[in-house]
Amino acid sequence: EQPMMLELDAPMKVAGDVHGQYFDLLRLLEFGGSPSNSNYLFLGDYVDRGKNCIECVVLLFVYKAKFAENFFMLRGNHECASINKIYGFMDECKRRYSLKLWKTFGDVFDYLPVCALLDERILCMHGGLSPELTHLDQIRNLERPADIPESGLLCDLLWSDPSSSVASWGDNDRGVSFTFGQEVVKSFLKK
């Protein structure tokens, strides 16, 4: 029901990569306050690497369902079957439950929003800017369900990285998307 680009109001507690670290997630929620009376925005990467990916993503989905008006989740680059089948989430699902569970999570991930605009001035996403991004309506108009392509706007929103070693656009050492420098950010902010 939510758009690809959420438009939210502050105050908002913004959290980055959880990566299956369930007990760290519990500490984060304890420190930040209960989702029943705190606003949260999670920027993706809920799965892979850690030992408790299923617990992390299920807890976050439960909070999202229970507190839909103040608990928000964006998609990260690990909420993609081609990535999380390599970095551990598929194996965890298969070992503890079934391959069908992993596929079901993948279907849900394909519907997650990819950006949030806080107070009409702070743009949040898992990755960064894209050379294809000229107007925020491009994000609003992204279609779902969406598999993450190897290049293009959606890919960049989840994979691009800021870099102090380039002024404009540069190659990304991760082999996907770009790095972007100060001039790109300044130009984008003027739009």
Side-chain angles (χ1 to χ4, degrees):
E1 294 179 9
Q2 295 180 329
M4 281 295 256
M5 188 176 84
L6 305 172
E7 299 191 38
L8 308 173
D9 297 320
M12 185 73 60
K13 292 174 174 70
V14 180
D17 303 20
V18 174
H19 277 303
Q21 301 294 334
Y22 183 67
F23 297 103
D24 290 345
L25 174 60
L26 293 178
R27 279 192 292 277
L28 184 148
L29 293 167
E30 181 181 348
F31 179 76
S34 170
S36 64
N37 53 27
S38 296
N39 299 325
Y40 280 96
L41 172 63
F42 283 82
L43 302 180
D45 280 10
Y46 312 113
V47 301
D48 289 335
R49 299 189 178 134
K51 294 182 178 181
N52 301 101
C53 301
I54 295 170
E55 288 85 352
C56 285
V57 77
V58 168
L59 179 63
L60 291 168
F61 282 160
V62 167
Y63 281 140
K64 176 67 200 141
K66 188 169 183 179
F67 305 110
E69 300 302 315
N70 68 306
F71 195 92
F72 304 95
M73 297 172 64
L74 300 181
R75 188 176 188 180
N77 53 24
H78 282 262
E79 282 73 54
C80 173
S82 64
I83 298 299
N84 63 45
K85 75 178 181 183
I86 297 169
Y87 287 95
F89 186 52
M90 182 186 80
D91 291 336
E92 180 182 336
C93 289
K94 188 174 165 185
R95 183 181 75 252
R96 295 177 59 196
Y97 294 96
S98 69
L99 199 56
K100 183 179 179 186
L101 178 67
W102 173 72
K103 290 178 181 177
T104 302
F105 277 124
D107 291 342
V108 175
F109 294 156
D110 287 349
Y111 282 89
L112 287 174
V114 295
C115 286
L117 185 62
L118 296 178
D119 281 346
E120 299 180 358
R121 48 181 261 179
I122 302 169
L123 186 62
C124 302
M125 72 275 283
H126 180 75
L129 298 174
S130 171
E132 295 184 17
L133 183 61
T134 58
H135 195 277
L136 294 180
D137 282 339
Q138 291 172 268
I139 301 170
R140 290 180 184 103
N141 294 330
L142 288 170
E143 293 187 16
R144 292 187 277 195
D147 195 20
I148 301 170
E150 293 183 17
S151 63
L153 176 61
L154 180 56
C155 174
D156 297 336
L157 293 171
L158 301 180
W159 280 97
S160 71
D161 293 308
S163 175
S164 58
S165 63
V166 297
S168 185
W169 296 102
D171 292 330
N172 194 319
D173 290 341
R174 298 197 283 175
V176 64
S177 190
F178 302 93
T179 59
F180 58 93
Q182 276 185 339
E183 295 307 315
V184 171
V185 175
K186 287 178 185 175
S187 173
F188 182 79
L189 291 175
K190 291 177 184 174
K191 294 179 184 176

